[in-house]
Amino acid sequence: MHNWDVTPAEAVALQEQLRGRVQTTDTLRDNGETIGMVVRTRAGSKPVYVSLGHRISLASAVAVVLRCGAGYRIPEPTHLADILAAPGAAP
């Protein structure tokens, strides 16, 4: 099992590395409770909605999404799954 938690120093380093790539990041709230983050992974693209999961913090989930970007709006694993799920895609 991977531990995706990042230290504050790693989070700052990641933000510096991605400066200019990420257009906006904002907190997603419901009745005052933080339920996720709205992350724009590329300038001019639709945002990605990120929420925490089992054994992963919200900050770590955002870091994973940003690390798995590979130049696409959505993380690479999701991008590949979308391609394979398309009608007529080879298994």
Side-chain angles (χ1 to χ4, degrees), residues 23-58:
Q23 191 71 17
T24 58
T25 303
D26 199 9
T27 305
L28 184 61
R29 298 181 190 276
D30 181 37
N31 293 324
E33 178 185 2
T34 299
I35 60 171
M37 293 290 288
V38 181
V39 180
R40 190 174 305 273
T41 57
R42 294 176 49 191
S45 68
K46 294 180 184 177
V48 175
Y49 296 89
V50 180
S51 61
L52 59 110
H54 180 66
R55 298 182 59 111
I56 186 168
S57 69
L58 181 56

Side-chain angles (χ1 to χ4, degrees), residues 42-82:
R42 294 176 49 191
S45 68
K46 294 180 184 177
V48 175
Y49 296 89
V50 180
S51 61
L52 59 110
H54 180 66
R55 298 182 59 111
I56 186 168
S57 69
L58 181 56
S60 295
V62 169
V64 169
V65 167
L66 294 175
R67 287 179 181 158
C68 293
Y72 301 103
R73 180 183 75 84
I74 57 176
E76 180 70 6
T78 306
H79 176 73
L80 293 174
D82 286 348

